[in-house]
Amino acid sequence: MNNDNAEGKPGRGSGISKLREWVRNPISLLGLALAVVAFGNFLFLFFIDLTSQRSSPYVGILAYMVAPAFLIAGLVLIPAGVWFDRRKRRQHPGAAVRYLHIDFNDPSQRGALAFVFTFVIAFIGLSVIGSYRAYEFTDSVQFCGQLCHSVMAPEFTAYQLSPHARVACVDCHVGAGATWYVKSKLSGARQVFATAFKTYPRPIPTPVHNLRPAAETCEQCHWPKKFYGAQLKVFTHYSSDENNTPRQIRMLINTGGGDPATGAPEGIHWHMNISNEITYVATDEKRQVIPYIHVKDLQGRVTEYFAKDSTLTKDQIAKASRHRMDCVDCHNRPTHIYVPPDLSVDNSLLARRLDASLPYLKQQAAAALTASYDTTDVAMQGIAKSIDGFYVTKYPDLAKGKQLEIRNAIDELQRIYRNTTFPEMKLNWQTHPNNIGHFYFSGCFRCHDGQHVSADGKVVTKDCQTCHTVLSQEEGGVSMAAVQKVSFQHPIDLGDLTQVNCSDCHSGAGGQ
């Protein structure tokens, strides 16, 4: 029995007839090919996601969003082609019905079919490989730091020099799963237009307020419950005198821990959200001014601390946005670190990349690095002129005898400048506060300033011994204190150190 009616329309009860409708119009054929390719890509990416040791947001987005989108599009094209073909036949009822006819007895058709079959298999294979290579590239540091985000050149430079230089950008900024990938891209849509039309701010502001919680990124490698004890830290500084006199401080950093299972919650990591939950209110975008702190301990007891000098009323604080403290409130520059000039010079002197025998090198280096320059090229010329001119003028004999050392010093200082200061983006070591410690910025003293008091008289302490214990200090190789738990001795008598903050004087420009 023939399923074709008098108008030439195929019968709708036969699966074979429907298949014929698919293959007799190019739109349905295109949809079928697209669906097959998309399904092949989905199976491959799903296999990669299933067998990969580390979950990737880009695999998730390609496998569960991009590939299905193309699959659906292909499936939609198939009935669309059938509808279009039927509509065309209704408009021309006398037109002959032409179906695809394959005759394997015809050598030319066998060759054509073999070519089409080979092409489809090769296309699917190339498409799968292309999808995987696209995933690899979009997951790479080069994609994040150099291609799409060229405006982030300062951050990319700092990242390459950081302790996390071997951690991919997406591991911290996106993390695992497609959900946060989509969120990060949607939140960055405005930035794409700003970059294209060069309307982005200079410098790029921080902190990133919609950054994924540290528990879902940092803690994939760092295990807060295992932090406990103290760490020995040796700080080496060089004076700005003629001899670049070294000064060394050895202290124990009381890291402590926040998990009662490993010991009493104490030390710096008492702040971790394990036995304590801390929220606070900040009145500025950079979260440097904190008028209110809310602490809830393991037993659920709440203590509220208010800054004495705050102008906010309790009603205003109650209505203000609160932020729950996590790792990045202190470790806010774990990767993109802009080292202050005097500390950079100290590090280079300690590593012997700078010759400490050059008189006043620490002083002159810090002065050259902190001078104002309009562009990086101008800075390179200014640093060379400043260092070379100083020794030629003040120490002419030394300048002749130590030309190589002076040239090396200039090269090293130019390297430091390129890694820490970006005049084109109006960015330097002072742009983004680093909350670890309290030497150049308020850091710990945002809360531990002795000015945050609770209703029952409790004070957020400013006692230095809470977080670190000074073991010894030496200057010029002569021991100043060699017993445990000595008080910190400032090289200049400042009186009561609890009444001043380190960052009040330490600007990163040297001279200490």
Side-chain angles (χ1 to χ4, degrees), residues 279-418:
T279 56
Y280 65 87
V281 171
T283 57
D284 66 318
E285 287 295 317
K286 294 187 177 182
R287 297 173 180 166
Q288 298 299 294
V289 181
I290 300 176
Y292 171 79
I293 308 167
H294 179 280
V295 180
K296 183 171 72 173
D297 64 15
L298 192 60
Q299 288 73 37
R301 293 171 298 194
V302 172
T303 305
E304 296 179 297
Y305 297 90
F306 297 86
K308 292 179 181 179
D309 58 354
S310 174
T311 58
L312 295 182
T313 65
K314 290 187 177 182
D315 288 339
Q316 289 175 318
I317 289 176
K319 296 177 182 178
S321 175
R322 297 190 183 188
H323 177 73
R324 180 170 178 175
M325 185 176 183
D326 66 6
C327 306
V328 296
D329 283 291
C330 293
H331 299 272
N332 67 317
R333 308 298 296 179
T335 299
H336 308 289
I337 306 168
Y338 301 103
V339 183
D342 66 329
L343 183 55
S344 297
V345 175
D346 284 341
N347 292 337
S348 292
L349 284 167
L350 183 63
R352 299 182 182 178
R353 291 196 296 265
L354 289 174
D355 189 347
S357 68
L358 294 175
Y360 290 108
L361 180 58
K362 170 66 179 293
Q363 179 192 85
Q364 294 303 309
L369 289 170
T370 55
S372 179
Y373 306 106
D374 292 333
T375 65
T376 301
D377 290 338
V378 171
M380 298 299 100
Q381 299 172 16
I383 291 171
K385 183 178 179 180
S386 174
I387 300 300
D388 188 63
F390 173 78
Y391 289 108
V392 169
T393 303
K394 300 294 184 180
Y395 298 91
D397 294 336
L398 180 141
K400 293 179 182 178
K402 291 199 170 186
Q403 291 183 5
L404 179 60
E405 289 81 356
I406 294 173
R407 183 65 255 176
N408 288 340
I410 291 172
D411 291 343
E412 177 65 9
L413 295 178
Q414 290 174 334
R415 183 194 68 82
I416 291 173
Y417 187 92
R418 288 193 298 268

Side-chain angles (χ1 to χ4, degrees), residues 227-235 250-258 264-272 330-331 436-438 444 448 461-471 484-486:
F227 291 144
Y228 202 79
Q231 296 175 317
L232 176 64
K233 183 75 174 179
V234 180
F235 298 91
R250 298 178 182 87
M251 64 172 62
L252 286 176
I253 306 298
N254 301 328
T255 306
E266 61 182 11
I268 299 169
H269 282 164
W270 172 91
H271 299 83
M272 291 187 296
C330 293
H331 299 272
I436 284 292
H438 47 72
C444 309
H448 290 270
T461 182
K462 195 181 179 182
D463 183 6
C464 298
Q465 301 294 338
T466 302
C467 295
H468 44 65
T469 301
V470 178
L471 300 178
Q484 291 186 347
K485 294 187 177 180
V486 298

Side-chain angles (χ1 to χ4, degrees), residues 149-183:
H149 302 110
S150 59
V151 67
M152 301 297 286
E155 302 290 350
F156 181 62
T157 301
Y159 157 78
Q160 291 177 302
L161 302 172
S162 76
H164 289 93
R166 296 179 67 179
V167 180
C169 304
V170 295
D171 288 345
C172 295
H173 286 274
V174 181
T179 301
W180 272 92
Y181 173 86
V182 175
K183 287 183 179 180

